[in-house]
Amino acid sequence: MAEPSVDAKLTRHQATNFFNNLYSNTVVFPRYGIRFTTYDRFLTGDPFKTYANPIDPIGGKHFPSLWYSNVWGASAKLGMRINDLMRLDLVVGYRDYQIDWMGDGDQMPIDLNHTYVLQGHNQTSYEARLSGTLFDKKLDWTAGIYRYEDSSHLGGYVILPAFAAILPNFNQNDTISSKSNSAFLHGEFAFTDKLSVTTGARYTDESKVYQFDHSPYLLVSTPLHYGSNHFDWKVSTNYRFTESVMAYASAATGFRSDGAQRRPFTPAQQKEVVPAEELISYEIGLKTDLFDRRLRLNLAAFFDDYDPRVVVSPGTQCKFPSNPEPGPVFRGLTGSRCPAGTEVGNSATPTGSPWFAYASAPGSNRGMELEATATVLQGLNVNATLAWYDFKSGADKTLPNGQPNNVYVDPSFKVQAKWSGSVGTEYRFAVGAGSLTPRLDWFYQGSRSNGIAYLPQLPGSANQVGGYGIVNARVTYTAKDSAWMVALSAENLLDKFYWYQLGAARSNLDNSPADNRTGTPARGREVALTFRRNFN
């Protein structure tokens, strides 16, 4: 196909869209009256293969295509019984990992966008826990303190499209450290043989340091110091109607600590701390053992209320990049035109700096879960699960100016699969000096949405990652004394193809075909042989 000639000079934004649109069938420049069609030249026909080439011939860099992970850890526990009613436990742990991986952002043989990442992390934790009983063993209590500290490094190199000239290629050299101290108290009091109440409390204090260095693109010389403290609680009650039926209800709080802005475009943006999240969760349930414990049924319903719930809300900084304060976020497309009256808006070039800012978007989720386990015959067990989930946004649908609010979640958007479940069966029978147990499981997960969350999703598969069901199988031989065990297992036995993640097929903003659509296919059939030795 002959390539069209373009006499008019294209802007950076148009040039970027031109190369992004090489994946789609049509590229259009309405301003210049240009329209032409391309082929799917960078599709291999195999979802497990791409034309990605980890070589930068211009910069003289060659990145490894394989991923490497080195992970190790150790832990130790010392327990000491002080008397018949009290014991002390000391626990210490250490973990370290080093990861080396490369991500190809363009998936083409043409080198446009590569991210080479070197991640390092180590952490140490200490815990002292004192537990015991009181009031004629009606109260079981635990009190303790906990200390956690870590150090992380994000290194590597990022190559960006040279033709776009939006940002230069840069090194990653970020360092992050955190320390956390907490104290907790937990107790369970049995009022009667049928009624018991559990309460707990925890106080956490955290401090963190983030040093951002993406030279020569951006170096923030002053480290960001941040952190927060939080008090959480839990209350639950259990009531046993009979030896086989028990009901419970609980309420608890939780939080996700504040974070750092890891993609700033100006030094001032890195000062903006990502606020912490908080939630309160409620759960009620019923646990039963029926028919002489041959049938176990557990039913639970839950409700989680997030406020605040933090999400990325792209916008624009309309103060100059050199300003030590970023000013308010102007929501909308990143790097858009700034309004008059702002520093950038009053300048000769009123396009502001992109800003991957964060905003509070309250929301709630609710769901139900059912678990069943049945002993049909001696040695034959069947189990099944069924779960339903629903999310409701608590953010306003529109901004005060009438524009769509990009942190709102439309009811048609499935944050998680609405339905999921499983069915499994196994049969154990004697073989020689041991037993043989064949097992078969089927797991199902429904579809999830992948369109723009604040807009209604398009019908069909245009804005969804399809649901899937897979079959796993396992045959286990166990020696009579349970000292030896050998198992042959197969994950995804039928070699079903499905997607872990997948970009939208069409935009639910204007129904246009998606550009540069990528996804992560799931693994195919995997077979394993496992040996186990138990020592008394």
Side-chain angles (χ1 to χ4, degrees), residues 354-400:
W355 192 348
F356 292 135
Y358 292 80
S360 174
S364 61
N365 53 252
R366 56 181 178 166
M368 298 185 68
E369 297 175 345
L370 174 65
E371 298 177 347
T373 302
T375 301
V376 182
L377 300 171
Q378 182 66 33
L380 177 61
N381 296 318
V382 177
N383 63 275
T385 64
L386 181 64
W388 173 80
Y389 175 90
D390 183 55
F391 177 84
K392 183 178 180 180
S393 178
D396 294 330
K397 187 174 183 178
T398 59
L399 296 171

Side-chain angles (χ1 to χ4, degrees), residues 206 208 226-230 254-259 273-279 306-311 359-360:
E206 295 184 333
K208 306 177 185 180
Y226 58 108
S228 60
N229 55 69
H230 207 269
F255 81 105
R256 181 197 61 80
S257 60
D258 52 346
V273 175
V274 180
E277 288 186 328
E278 299 179 15
L279 70 79
Y306 290 85
D307 191 9
R309 172 179 172 267
V310 180
V311 297
S360 174

Side-chain angles (χ1 to χ4, degrees), residues 84-85 132-141 188-190:
D84 291 341
L85 300 178
T133 61
L134 291 172
F135 307 121
D136 196 23
K137 298 185 178 181
K138 289 183 176 295
L139 173 65
D140 293 324
W141 60 271
E188 180 178 0
F189 189 83

Side-chain angles (χ1 to χ4, degrees), residues 245-276:
V245 180
M246 187 268 286
Y248 70 91
S250 68
T253 63
F255 81 105
R256 181 197 61 80
S257 60
D258 52 346
Q261 167 61 270
R262 299 195 175 189
R263 295 191 66 183
F265 285 84
T266 68
Q269 291 179 12
Q270 217 272 323
K271 294 181 178 180
E272 294 296 297
V273 175
V274 180

